[in-house]
Amino acid sequence: MPDRQEIEIKFVVDDPSAMRAALEREGAISQGMREELNIRLDDPSRSLSARDIVLRLRRITSVQGVEHILTVKAPLSGGDPAFSMRREVEVMVGDAQAALAALAMLGYTPYWRYEKRRETFVWGAVEAALDEMPYGWFLELEGPPPDIRELAARLGLRLEEGLTCSYAAIFENVRRALALDIHDLTFEAFAGVVVPPEAYRGQAR
């Protein structure tokens, strides 16, 4: 759906192969692998970030080819506090450079980039994304809260140990905890950097 509620939670994954096997044992069906380059945009005063609004252009590369999606996310009030809940509007973009030029005319220019390698699984109404980020592996569960709770329990995951913050917020936590002088979240920038799990929550070693 192009305009929907995004309800999700993330879990740190120690063993991605074991997690992939666990998903398959529970009947989750893989939708394949893809690589992402995400570009976050804002105006010079960061007015969108100040309102917790995300404006993002994503390039997805998979066996199906390359596609671009423009996304706007805004926070939602109420709901289950165990999960991140946002309104998400997505638009397929045929010409990424033209889209960036149009956004620049409106005052929104790129300020941050991040990479991701993702394998998506479908389990009923839940989308389970096994994500390799430059700073580690995560499982992101998205869907109706009762279904997320059921799949998490089947996988041996505890909701109270999950993360409801974005990958951008986790990046800032890691930068502060490890005192890293890294601007963009890329695999090249994090080559050789060991990130302990406590850094995801902003805790230093």
Side-chain angles (χ1 to χ4, degrees), residues 5-178:
Q5 282 192 357
E6 178 192 70
I7 304 172
E8 64 182 28
I9 187 171
K10 297 178 181 67
F11 297 92
V12 179
V13 172
D14 296 324
D15 187 337
S17 295
M19 180 58 71
R20 184 179 293 108
L23 285 164
E24 292 175 344
R25 280 197 304 272
E26 294 302 327
I29 300 172
S30 176
Q31 306 299 294
M33 302 281 298
R34 70 191 201 190
E35 294 186 356
E36 296 179 4
L37 172 63
N38 300 275
I39 300 173
R40 290 277 292 268
L41 304 101
D42 207 336
D43 57 31
S45 62
R46 297 287 190 271
S47 66
L48 296 180
S49 299
R51 291 179 286 158
D52 198 21
I53 293 176
V54 172
L55 176 60
R56 180 188 71 206
L57 182 64
R58 169 175 288 173
R59 184 187 73 200
I60 300 172
T61 305
S62 67
V63 294
Q64 285 79 34
V66 178
E67 61 182 5
H68 295 86
I69 300 175
L70 182 67
T71 302
V72 180
K73 296 186 182 187
L76 289 173
S77 58
D80 193 326
F83 305 98
S84 167
M85 301 184 65
R86 291 180 287 186
R87 180 185 177 190
E88 180 182 73
V89 180
E90 293 189 327
V91 179
M92 296 296 296
V93 173
D95 188 331
Q97 292 306 311
L100 288 173
L103 291 167
M105 288 180 67
L106 297 173
Y108 301 114
T109 56
Y111 72 91
W112 186 58
R113 291 170 172 80
Y114 66 100
E115 295 175 332
K116 181 195 303 174
R117 298 172 185 146
R118 164 171 284 187
E119 182 175 7
T120 302
F121 296 80
V122 173
W123 186 83
V126 178
E127 182 178 279
L130 187 57
D131 290 337
E132 182 185 6
M133 302 297 294
Y135 46 54
W137 286 84
F138 297 81
L139 178 69
E140 185 177 271
L141 301 181
E142 180 179 343
D147 301 79
I148 293 177
R149 291 178 185 276
E150 181 180 353
L151 180 56
R154 286 170 174 261
L155 296 172
L157 302 171
R158 301 173 60 191
L159 257 61
E160 57 267 30
E161 296 178 352
L163 296 163
T164 58
C165 52
S166 67
Y167 284 128
I170 295 173
F171 173 64
E172 291 302 325
N173 288 343
V174 169
R175 282 212 312 167
R176 287 195 300 270
L178 303 184

